[in-house]
mmCIF file of all heavy atoms in Angstrom:
data_model
loop_
_atom_site.group_PDB
_atom_site.id
_atom_site.type_symbol
_atom_site.label_atom_id
_atom_site.label_comp_id
_atom_site.label_asym_id
_atom_site.label_seq_id
_atom_site.Cartn_x
_atom_site.Cartn_y
_atom_site.Cartn_z
ATOM 1 N N GLN A 1 7.058 4.731 -3.890
ATOM 2 C CA GLN A 1 7.966 4.581 -2.665
ATOM 3 C C GLN A 1 7.310 5.096 -1.385
ATOM 4 O O GLN A 1 7.427 4.363 -0.312
ATOM 5 C CB GLN A 1 9.322 5.298 -2.825
ATOM 6 C CG GLN A 1 10.301 4.862 -1.890
ATOM 7 C CD GLN A 1 10.548 3.314 -1.827
ATOM 8 O OE1 GLN A 1 10.865 2.672 -2.796
ATOM 9 N NE2 GLN A 1 10.400 2.774 -0.617
ATOM 10 N N SER A 2 6.548 6.183 -1.485
ATOM 11 C CA SER A 2 5.897 6.650 -0.309
ATOM 12 C C SER A 2 4.842 5.676 0.180
ATOM 13 O O SER A 2 4.682 5.399 1.392
ATOM 14 C CB SER A 2 5.283 8.041 -0.635
ATOM 15 O OG SER A 2 6.203 9.001 -0.837
ATOM 16 N N LEU A 3 4.144 5.119 -0.781
ATOM 17 C CA LEU A 3 3.048 4.130 -0.408
ATOM 18 C C LEU A 3 3.719 2.901 0.292
ATOM 19 O O LEU A 3 3.163 2.436 1.287
ATOM 20 C CB LEU A 3 2.277 3.677 -1.663
ATOM 21 C CG LEU A 3 1.254 4.782 -2.236
ATOM 22 C CD1 LEU A 3 0.797 4.349 -3.588
ATOM 23 C CD2 LEU A 3 0.137 5.008 -1.282
ATOM 24 N N LYS A 4 4.776 2.481 -0.306
ATOM 25 C CA LYS A 4 5.413 1.291 0.325
ATOM 26 C C LYS A 4 6.007 1.594 1.696
ATOM 27 O O LYS A 4 5.889 0.705 2.587
ATOM 28 C CB LYS A 4 6.555 0.779 -0.618
ATOM 29 C CG LYS A 4 6.014 0.121 -1.903
ATOM 30 C CD LYS A 4 7.159 -0.304 -2.834
ATOM 31 C CE LYS A 4 6.623 -1.070 -4.006
ATOM 32 N NZ LYS A 4 7.713 -1.517 -4.916
ATOM 33 N N ASN A 5 6.594 2.790 1.831
ATOM 34 C CA ASN A 5 7.056 3.149 3.113
ATOM 35 C C ASN A 5 5.966 3.250 4.184
ATOM 36 O O ASN A 5 6.056 2.853 5.289
ATOM 37 C CB ASN A 5 7.820 4.559 3.115
ATOM 38 C CG ASN A 5 9.126 4.426 2.355
ATOM 39 O OD1 ASN A 5 9.692 3.323 2.156
ATOM 40 N ND2 ASN A 5 9.670 5.570 1.927
ATOM 41 N N ARG A 6 4.847 3.848 3.812
ATOM 42 C CA ARG A 6 3.704 3.983 4.695
ATOM 43 C C ARG A 6 3.171 2.633 5.076
ATOM 44 O O ARG A 6 2.802 2.338 6.210
ATOM 45 C CB ARG A 6 2.624 4.868 4.080
ATOM 46 C CG ARG A 6 1.535 5.279 4.979
ATOM 47 C CD ARG A 6 2.153 6.147 6.070
ATOM 48 N NE ARG A 6 0.986 6.765 6.901
ATOM 49 C CZ ARG A 6 1.215 7.487 7.858
ATOM 50 N NH1 ARG A 6 2.404 7.723 8.301
ATOM 51 N NH2 ARG A 6 0.141 7.992 8.581
ATOM 52 N N GLN A 7 3.101 1.745 4.078
ATOM 53 C CA GLN A 7 2.644 0.397 4.378
ATOM 54 C C GLN A 7 3.543 -0.349 5.374
ATOM 55 O O GLN A 7 3.087 -0.980 6.239
ATOM 56 C CB GLN A 7 2.578 -0.351 3.029
ATOM 57 C CG GLN A 7 1.963 -1.829 3.189
ATOM 58 C CD GLN A 7 1.857 -2.424 1.765
ATOM 59 O OE1 GLN A 7 2.695 -2.278 0.886
ATOM 60 N NE2 GLN A 7 0.697 -3.113 1.584
ATOM 61 N N SER A 8 4.804 -0.197 5.227
ATOM 62 C CA SER A 8 5.831 -0.777 6.061
ATOM 63 C C SER A 8 5.635 -0.352 7.477
ATOM 64 O O SER A 8 5.657 -1.084 8.427
ATOM 65 C CB SER A 8 7.171 -0.577 5.498
ATOM 66 O OG SER A 8 8.174 -1.181 6.387
ATOM 67 N N TRP A 9 5.529 0.949 7.598
ATOM 68 C CA TRP A 9 5.309 1.631 8.915
ATOM 69 C C TRP A 9 4.067 1.076 9.535
ATOM 70 O O TRP A 9 4.035 0.675 10.746
ATOM 71 C CB TRP A 9 5.246 3.139 8.846
ATOM 72 C CG TRP A 9 4.818 3.821 10.078
ATOM 73 C CD1 TRP A 9 5.663 4.185 11.096
ATOM 74 C CD2 TRP A 9 3.522 4.119 10.463
ATOM 75 N NE1 TRP A 9 4.930 4.731 12.154
ATOM 76 C CE2 TRP A 9 3.580 4.750 11.808
ATOM 77 C CE3 TRP A 9 2.262 4.022 9.870
ATOM 78 C CZ2 TRP A 9 2.475 5.150 12.468
ATOM 79 C CZ3 TRP A 9 1.102 4.436 10.583
ATOM 80 C CH2 TRP A 9 1.266 5.024 11.865
ATOM 81 N N MET A 10 2.988 1.086 8.819
ATOM 82 C CA MET A 10 1.694 0.623 9.298
ATOM 83 C C MET A 10 1.789 -0.864 9.822
ATOM 84 O O MET A 10 1.295 -1.161 10.853
ATOM 85 C CB MET A 10 0.587 0.759 8.325
ATOM 86 C CG MET A 10 -0.762 0.242 8.712
ATOM 87 S SD MET A 10 -1.900 0.013 7.352
ATOM 88 C CE MET A 10 -1.159 -1.268 6.355
ATOM 89 N N ASN A 11 2.416 -1.690 8.964
ATOM 90 C CA ASN A 11 2.543 -3.106 9.333
ATOM 91 C C ASN A 11 3.401 -3.403 10.471
ATOM 92 O O ASN A 11 3.221 -4.399 11.206
ATOM 93 C CB ASN A 11 2.893 -3.911 8.110
ATOM 94 C CG ASN A 11 1.844 -4.002 7.115
ATOM 95 O OD1 ASN A 11 0.636 -4.122 7.449
ATOM 96 N ND2 ASN A 11 2.202 -4.037 5.852
ATOM 97 N N SER A 12 4.352 -2.494 10.755
ATOM 98 C CA SER A 12 5.347 -2.774 11.817
ATOM 99 C C SER A 12 4.905 -2.107 13.149
ATOM 100 O O SER A 12 5.121 -2.727 14.214
ATOM 101 C CB SER A 12 6.712 -2.353 11.450
ATOM 102 O OG SER A 12 6.769 -0.985 11.226
ATOM 103 N N ASN A 13 4.420 -0.882 13.181
ATOM 104 C CA ASN A 13 4.101 -0.240 14.464
ATOM 105 C C ASN A 13 3.042 0.814 14.292
ATOM 106 O O ASN A 13 3.005 1.716 15.111
ATOM 107 C CB ASN A 13 5.387 0.412 14.965
ATOM 108 C CG ASN A 13 5.922 1.436 14.006
ATOM 109 O OD1 ASN A 13 5.334 1.772 13.006
ATOM 110 N ND2 ASN A 13 7.133 1.910 14.317
ATOM 111 N N GLY A 14 2.134 0.608 13.461
ATOM 112 C CA GLY A 14 1.134 1.657 13.275
ATOM 113 C C GLY A 14 0.007 1.686 14.289
ATOM 114 O O GLY A 14 -0.660 2.717 14.524
ATOM 115 N N GLY A 15 -0.366 0.536 14.856
ATOM 116 C CA GLY A 15 -1.385 0.513 15.865
ATOM 117 C C GLY A 15 -2.745 0.103 15.236
ATOM 118 O O GLY A 15 -3.803 0.237 15.859
ATOM 119 N N CYS A 16 -2.755 -0.311 13.957
ATOM 120 C CA CYS A 16 -3.969 -0.661 13.347
ATOM 121 C C CYS A 16 -4.307 -2.176 13.707
ATOM 122 O O CYS A 16 -3.418 -2.908 13.988
ATOM 123 C CB CYS A 16 -3.825 -0.659 11.780
ATOM 124 S SG CYS A 16 -3.732 1.042 11.077
ATOM 125 N N THR A 17 -5.575 -2.506 13.709
ATOM 126 C CA THR A 17 -5.974 -3.880 13.939
ATOM 127 C C THR A 17 -5.702 -4.723 12.778
ATOM 128 O O THR A 17 -5.353 -4.262 11.732
ATOM 129 C CB THR A 17 -7.488 -3.955 14.220
ATOM 130 O OG1 THR A 17 -8.221 -3.689 13.033
ATOM 131 C CG2 THR A 17 -7.954 -3.016 15.360
ATOM 132 N N ALA A 18 -5.704 -6.037 12.965
ATOM 133 C CA ALA A 18 -5.368 -6.981 11.793
ATOM 134 C C ALA A 18 -6.338 -6.753 10.676
ATOM 135 O O ALA A 18 -5.955 -6.722 9.492
ATOM 136 C CB ALA A 18 -5.413 -8.397 12.372
ATOM 137 N N GLU A 19 -7.593 -6.578 10.937
ATOM 138 C CA GLU A 19 -8.604 -6.349 9.972
ATOM 139 C C GLU A 19 -8.351 -4.955 9.206
ATOM 140 O O GLU A 19 -8.437 -4.960 7.943
ATOM 141 C CB GLU A 19 -9.994 -6.367 10.506
ATOM 142 C CG GLU A 19 -11.116 -6.177 9.485
ATOM 143 C CD GLU A 19 -12.500 -6.294 10.084
ATOM 144 O OE1 GLU A 19 -12.666 -6.826 11.191
ATOM 145 O OE2 GLU A 19 -13.454 -5.716 9.491
ATOM 146 N N GLU A 20 -8.009 -3.977 9.918
ATOM 147 C CA GLU A 20 -7.701 -2.712 9.330
ATOM 148 C C GLU A 20 -6.495 -2.788 8.444
ATOM 149 O O GLU A 20 -6.422 -2.216 7.312
ATOM 150 C CB GLU A 20 -7.536 -1.645 10.432
ATOM 151 C CG GLU A 20 -8.790 -1.242 11.131
ATOM 152 C CD GLU A 20 -8.499 -0.296 12.339
ATOM 153 O OE1 GLU A 20 -7.365 -0.297 12.902
ATOM 154 O OE2 GLU A 20 -9.480 0.365 12.706
ATOM 155 N N LYS A 21 -5.387 -3.499 8.895
ATOM 156 C CA LYS A 21 -4.272 -3.699 8.093
ATOM 157 C C LYS A 21 -4.609 -4.397 6.761
ATOM 158 O O LYS A 21 -4.042 -4.021 5.735
ATOM 159 C CB LYS A 21 -3.257 -4.492 8.886
ATOM 160 C CG LYS A 21 -2.525 -3.722 9.948
ATOM 161 C CD LYS A 21 -1.449 -4.535 10.689
ATOM 162 C CE LYS A 21 -0.839 -3.752 11.796
ATOM 163 N NZ LYS A 21 0.189 -4.581 12.484
ATOM 164 N N ASN A 22 -5.425 -5.437 6.880
ATOM 165 C CA ASN A 22 -5.829 -6.090 5.670
ATOM 166 C C ASN A 22 -6.540 -5.181 4.666
ATOM 167 O O ASN A 22 -6.246 -5.224 3.505
ATOM 168 C CB ASN A 22 -6.722 -7.299 6.028
ATOM 169 C CG ASN A 22 -6.096 -8.434 6.604
ATOM 170 O OD1 ASN A 22 -4.845 -8.634 6.531
ATOM 171 N ND2 ASN A 22 -6.808 -9.307 7.319
ATOM 172 N N THR A 23 -7.428 -4.374 5.190
ATOM 173 C CA THR A 23 -8.108 -3.420 4.370
ATOM 174 C C THR A 23 -7.190 -2.392 3.703
ATOM 175 O O THR A 23 -7.193 -2.148 2.498
ATOM 176 C CB THR A 23 -9.183 -2.630 5.202
ATOM 177 O OG1 THR A 23 -10.133 -3.602 5.672
ATOM 178 C CG2 THR A 23 -9.906 -1.589 4.329
ATOM 179 N N LEU A 24 -6.326 -1.854 4.492
ATOM 180 C CA LEU A 24 -5.385 -0.827 3.992
ATOM 181 C C LEU A 24 -4.287 -1.418 3.089
ATOM 182 O O LEU A 24 -3.949 -0.825 2.087
ATOM 183 C CB LEU A 24 -4.725 -0.116 5.217
ATOM 184 C CG LEU A 24 -5.659 0.780 5.947
ATOM 185 C CD1 LEU A 24 -5.051 1.268 7.304
ATOM 186 C CD2 LEU A 24 -6.120 1.969 5.168
ATOM 187 N N ASN A 25 -3.799 -2.608 3.455
ATOM 188 C CA ASN A 25 -2.845 -3.265 2.615
ATOM 189 C C ASN A 25 -3.360 -3.648 1.232
ATOM 190 O O ASN A 25 -2.692 -3.470 0.218
ATOM 191 C CB ASN A 25 -2.325 -4.599 3.280
ATOM 192 C CG ASN A 25 -1.231 -4.364 4.262
ATOM 193 O OD1 ASN A 25 -0.328 -3.488 3.967
ATOM 194 N ND2 ASN A 25 -1.270 -5.077 5.413
ATOM 195 N N SER A 26 -4.666 -4.003 1.255
ATOM 196 C CA SER A 26 -5.303 -4.292 -0.012
ATOM 197 C C SER A 26 -5.424 -3.016 -0.893
ATOM 198 O O SER A 26 -5.142 -3.043 -2.090
ATOM 199 C CB SER A 26 -6.742 -4.827 0.230
ATOM 200 O OG SER A 26 -7.431 -5.001 -0.971
ATOM 201 N N ARG A 27 -5.797 -1.925 -0.258
ATOM 202 C CA ARG A 27 -5.896 -0.596 -0.948
ATOM 203 C C ARG A 27 -4.548 -0.160 -1.528
ATOM 204 O O ARG A 27 -4.387 0.224 -2.621
ATOM 205 C CB ARG A 27 -6.525 0.442 0.002
ATOM 206 C CG ARG A 27 -6.576 1.759 -0.653
ATOM 207 C CD ARG A 27 -7.166 2.821 0.273
ATOM 208 N NE ARG A 27 -7.048 4.155 -0.284
ATOM 209 C CZ ARG A 27 -7.432 5.309 0.277
ATOM 210 N NH1 ARG A 27 -8.041 5.171 1.415
ATOM 211 N NH2 ARG A 27 -7.292 6.439 -0.254
ATOM 212 N N ILE A 28 -3.476 -0.292 -0.577
ATOM 213 C CA ILE A 28 -2.143 0.183 -0.994
ATOM 214 C C ILE A 28 -1.579 -0.727 -2.100
ATOM 215 O O ILE A 28 -1.091 -0.255 -3.118
ATOM 216 C CB ILE A 28 -1.174 0.171 0.187
ATOM 217 C CG1 ILE A 28 -1.644 1.330 1.163
ATOM 218 C CG2 ILE A 28 0.257 0.397 -0.245
ATOM 219 C CD1 ILE A 28 -0.930 1.301 2.540
ATOM 220 N N ASN A 29 -1.745 -2.045 -2.011
ATOM 221 C CA ASN A 29 -1.238 -2.985 -2.975
ATOM 222 C C ASN A 29 -1.838 -2.747 -4.331
ATOM 223 O O ASN A 29 -1.241 -2.796 -5.342
ATOM 224 C CB ASN A 29 -1.453 -4.465 -2.558
ATOM 225 C CG ASN A 29 -0.526 -4.797 -1.363
ATOM 226 O OD1 ASN A 29 0.542 -4.205 -1.150
ATOM 227 N ND2 ASN A 29 -0.895 -5.834 -0.581
ATOM 228 N N LYS A 30 -3.215 -2.516 -4.352
ATOM 229 C CA LYS A 30 -3.929 -2.228 -5.574
ATOM 230 C C LYS A 30 -3.361 -0.993 -6.254
ATOM 231 O O LYS A 30 -3.198 -0.952 -7.462
ATOM 232 C CB LYS A 30 -5.375 -2.124 -5.304
ATOM 233 C CG LYS A 30 -6.240 -1.820 -6.551
ATOM 234 C CD LYS A 30 -7.701 -1.731 -6.277
ATOM 235 C CE LYS A 30 -8.439 -1.482 -7.527
ATOM 236 N NZ LYS A 30 -9.665 -0.738 -7.381
ATOM 237 N N ARG A 31 -3.208 0.083 -5.492
ATOM 238 C CA ARG A 31 -2.695 1.356 -6.020
ATOM 239 C C ARG A 31 -1.324 1.254 -6.531
ATOM 240 O O ARG A 31 -0.934 1.693 -7.609
ATOM 241 C CB ARG A 31 -2.830 2.495 -4.980
ATOM 242 C CG ARG A 31 -2.559 3.883 -5.544
ATOM 243 C CD ARG A 31 -3.544 4.224 -6.590
ATOM 244 N NE ARG A 31 -3.192 5.439 -7.225
ATOM 245 C CZ ARG A 31 -3.092 5.667 -8.524
ATOM 246 N NH1 ARG A 31 -3.371 4.660 -9.330
ATOM 247 N NH2 ARG A 31 -2.838 6.830 -9.006
ATOM 248 N N VAL A 32 -0.397 0.520 -5.794
ATOM 249 C CA VAL A 32 0.941 0.320 -6.146
ATOM 250 C C VAL A 32 0.974 -0.414 -7.524
ATOM 251 O O VAL A 32 1.760 -0.126 -8.478
ATOM 252 C CB VAL A 32 1.836 -0.362 -5.113
ATOM 253 C CG1 VAL A 32 3.168 -0.848 -5.655
ATOM 254 C CG2 VAL A 32 2.036 0.574 -3.925
ATOM 255 N N GLN A 33 0.146 -1.463 -7.630
ATOM 256 C CA GLN A 33 0.065 -2.273 -8.848
ATOM 257 C C GLN A 33 -0.338 -1.380 -9.984
ATOM 258 O O GLN A 33 0.270 -1.476 -11.098
ATOM 259 C CB GLN A 33 -0.874 -3.419 -8.657
ATOM 260 C CG GLN A 33 -0.938 -4.309 -9.934
ATOM 261 C CD GLN A 33 -1.957 -5.462 -9.803
ATOM 262 O OE1 GLN A 33 -2.464 -5.740 -8.699
ATOM 263 N NE2 GLN A 33 -2.119 -6.191 -10.894
ATOM 264 N N GLU A 34 -1.311 -0.516 -9.789
ATOM 265 C CA GLU A 34 -1.754 0.387 -10.885
ATOM 266 C C GLU A 34 -0.664 1.282 -11.314
ATOM 267 O O GLU A 34 -0.446 1.520 -12.483
ATOM 268 C CB GLU A 34 -2.993 1.228 -10.418
ATOM 269 C CG GLU A 34 -4.277 0.463 -10.204
ATOM 270 C CD GLU A 34 -5.315 1.184 -9.477
ATOM 271 O OE1 GLU A 34 -5.017 2.395 -8.936
ATOM 272 O OE2 GLU A 34 -6.464 0.720 -9.379
ATOM 273 N N LEU A 35 0.005 1.871 -10.323
ATOM 274 C CA LEU A 35 1.151 2.769 -10.635
ATOM 275 C C LEU A 35 2.257 2.097 -11.371
ATOM 276 O O LEU A 35 2.907 2.619 -12.244
ATOM 277 C CB LEU A 35 1.602 3.475 -9.373
ATOM 278 C CG LEU A 35 0.607 4.380 -8.652
ATOM 279 C CD1 LEU A 35 1.084 4.735 -7.239
ATOM 280 C CD2 LEU A 35 0.434 5.696 -9.527
ATOM 281 N N GLU A 36 2.640 0.850 -10.917
ATOM 282 C CA GLU A 36 3.678 0.071 -11.574
ATOM 283 C C GLU A 36 3.328 -0.224 -13.047
ATOM 284 O O GLU A 36 4.146 -0.202 -13.879
ATOM 285 C CB GLU A 36 4.011 -1.215 -10.754
ATOM 286 C CG GLU A 36 4.773 -0.776 -9.459
ATOM 287 C CD GLU A 36 5.049 -1.947 -8.564
ATOM 288 O OE1 GLU A 36 4.369 -2.995 -8.672
ATOM 289 O OE2 GLU A 36 5.980 -1.781 -7.700
ATOM 290 N N GLU A 37 1.998 -0.497 -13.204
ATOM 291 C CA GLU A 37 1.631 -0.726 -14.642
ATOM 292 C C GLU A 37 1.725 0.560 -15.439
ATOM 293 O O GLU A 37 2.087 0.425 -16.626
ATOM 294 C CB GLU A 37 0.103 -1.280 -14.647
ATOM 295 C CG GLU A 37 0.043 -2.701 -14.081
ATOM 296 C CD GLU A 37 -1.429 -3.122 -13.875
ATOM 297 O OE1 GLU A 37 -2.373 -2.363 -14.127
ATOM 298 O OE2 GLU A 37 -1.591 -4.255 -13.395
ATOM 299 N N ASP A 38 1.446 1.701 -14.804
ATOM 300 C CA ASP A 38 1.554 2.989 -15.465
ATOM 301 C C ASP A 38 3.031 3.176 -15.834
ATOM 302 O O ASP A 38 3.408 3.692 -16.930
ATOM 303 C CB ASP A 38 1.110 4.152 -14.601
ATOM 304 C CG ASP A 38 -0.478 4.210 -14.451
ATOM 305 O OD1 ASP A 38 -1.134 3.506 -15.230
ATOM 306 O OD2 ASP A 38 -0.892 4.953 -13.592
ATOM 307 N N MET A 39 3.968 2.777 -14.846
ATOM 308 C CA MET A 39 5.388 2.938 -15.168
ATOM 309 C C MET A 39 5.743 2.109 -16.374
ATOM 310 O O MET A 39 6.463 2.637 -17.287
ATOM 311 C CB MET A 39 6.182 2.487 -13.911
ATOM 312 C CG MET A 39 6.168 3.441 -12.758
ATOM 313 S SD MET A 39 6.870 5.078 -13.024
ATOM 314 C CE MET A 39 8.625 4.571 -13.299
ATOM 315 N N GLU A 40 5.297 0.927 -16.425
ATOM 316 C CA GLU A 40 5.618 -0.041 -17.483
ATOM 317 C C GLU A 40 5.047 0.466 -18.889
ATOM 318 O O GLU A 40 5.786 0.549 -19.843
ATOM 319 C CB GLU A 40 5.023 -1.434 -17.249
ATOM 320 C CG GLU A 40 5.908 -2.519 -16.982
ATOM 321 C CD GLU A 40 7.373 -2.451 -17.248
ATOM 322 O OE1 GLU A 40 7.729 -2.873 -18.425
ATOM 323 O OE2 GLU A 40 8.144 -2.145 -16.394
ATOM 324 N N SER A 41 3.838 0.837 -18.866
ATOM 325 C CA SER A 41 3.177 1.195 -20.145
ATOM 326 C C SER A 41 3.472 2.605 -20.609
ATOM 327 O O SER A 41 3.376 2.858 -21.783
ATOM 328 C CB SER A 41 1.609 1.009 -20.039
ATOM 329 O OG SER A 41 1.106 1.970 -19.079
ATOM 330 N N THR A 42 3.819 3.494 -19.730
ATOM 331 C CA THR A 42 3.943 4.987 -20.100
ATOM 332 C C THR A 42 5.184 5.588 -19.668
ATOM 333 O O THR A 42 6.021 5.930 -20.467
ATOM 334 C CB THR A 42 2.741 5.722 -19.486
ATOM 335 O OG1 THR A 42 1.508 5.120 -19.940
ATOM 336 C CG2 THR A 42 2.742 7.167 -20.014
#
């Protein structure tokens, strides 16, 4: 939830460039996916 909230903040008013948002969104999405898989499997 913290990762998703931070991502939402960054995408709406964080001041990051489009390229930076793409980089950070990719990192956050990958980590959220890993954590959601951990939730499912464990």
